[in-house]
Structures are given as C-alpha cells and as structure tokens.
Amino acid sequence: MMLALSIQTSLLFVCSSKMYPCWLSTTKVPAHQLSPTTALTCVCSTFLVQIDLETFQKVVGGFVGLVDKLAKGVDAEKMKAIGAKSAFESAHKRKEAEEQLLMATIAEKKAQLERLKVEQQSLETIIQEQDQFIEHYVMRK
C-alpha cells in the first residue's frame, strides 16, 4: 500500500486507507520519509480533533477512579500481609525463646539428676557401711 502525504487545506497522512490531518507541513512528502515522531504527532492531532473531550474526561476519570480503588485494595492487602508476617515472626521468636528456656530447664534438671545420683551412691555406701558395722557388732556379742 502506498503511503503518502497530500495537501488539501492541511497536510493529510494516509495510512491503511485512512487519512489523518496533520498541520506540521504544507509540502507533499512521502510517508516513508516521514519520521516516526512526526507520524505519531499527526495521529495524535487527529485523535485530539476527533475525540469528544467530555467523554474522554469521563472515561479517564472512571479509569483513574478504578486504579485508585485498586491501589487502595492493594495497599490494604499489603498491610495485612505485613501484619501477618510480623505476627509470624513474633510467634517464631517467642517459640525460639520458649525452646531456649526449656533447653536451659532440661540442662538444669540433668545437673540436678547427676547430683542426686551421686548423693544416692553416697547414701548407699553409708548404708552398706552401717549394715556391715551392725552385722559385725551384733556378731561380736
């Protein structure tokens, strides 16, 4: 398809069998020589001329409102996630502290058990000695 610019009252940009008025130039220039920036400017100019500004503002306003609502929802979910993460970390730290306390208690109880075992051995030795003494004393009489 041949793309070209032609002059009527303003410059026209011909693209896909559509003509877009462009007020940038008054000379005839082939479309393939037109820079992408100039072509985009022509299309934008046509868009601005054709669109109903009030309708556009309503659509954009609705879109902005929707995006704001979604952003607030995302922020709320983000805060919930932060709170849940904080609660999880707090519970994890609490469990670690409880575990350390229990480990210390276990170590203390093991040390107490060892002391009691030594004391039991000592008492058993004393009982044996006393039994021997009694047996020996009774036998002598």
Side-chain angles (χ1 to χ4, degrees):
M1 176 178 293
M2 176 69 173
L3 300 177
L5 293 176
S6 62
I7 302 175
Q8 290 188 354
T9 53
S10 63
L11 189 61
L12 294 174
F13 179 56
V14 181
C15 176
S16 302
S17 74
K18 291 188 178 178
M19 299 175 72
Y20 300 100
C22 186
W23 295 272
L24 299 175
S25 176
T26 57
T27 61
K28 191 172 189 177
V29 179
H32 67 278
Q33 292 180 356
L34 193 60
S35 73
T37 305
T38 307
L40 181 60
T41 304
C42 292
V43 172
C44 289
S45 297
T46 302
F47 176 76
L48 290 174
V49 167
Q50 291 177 349
I51 192 160
D52 179 18
L53 189 57
E54 191 174 311
T55 304
F56 179 74
Q57 286 177 342
K58 285 180 184 177
V59 169
V60 169
F63 180 71
V64 168
L66 178 63
V67 169
D68 285 342
K69 184 177 178 183
L70 289 174
K72 287 178 184 176
V74 166
D75 286 342
E77 290 299 319
K78 180 180 172 184
M79 294 306 289
K80 285 180 187 176
I82 289 171
K85 180 182 176 185
S86 177
F88 173 76
E89 288 174 352
S90 175
H92 182 68
K93 287 180 182 178
R94 188 174 57 248
K95 285 184 179 185
E96 282 180 348
E98 185 178 337
E99 181 182 354
Q100 288 178 353
L101 180 64
L102 290 173
M103 295 300 282
T105 304
I106 289 171
E108 184 181 311
K109 295 293 182 182
K110 282 182 179 180
Q112 185 180 7
L113 177 63
E114 284 301 313
R115 283 193 306 274
L116 291 173
K117 282 182 179 180
V118 169
E119 186 178 346
Q120 180 184 10
Q121 275 183 335
S122 174
L123 291 173
E124 285 176 357
T125 304
I126 292 171
I127 290 173
Q128 250 180 359
E129 289 173 357
Q130 287 178 353
D131 283 345
Q132 285 176 357
F133 177 76
I134 293 173
E135 192 177 300
H136 181 45
Y137 185 71
V138 170
M139 293 290 232
R140 283 182 86 201
K141 277 194 170 188

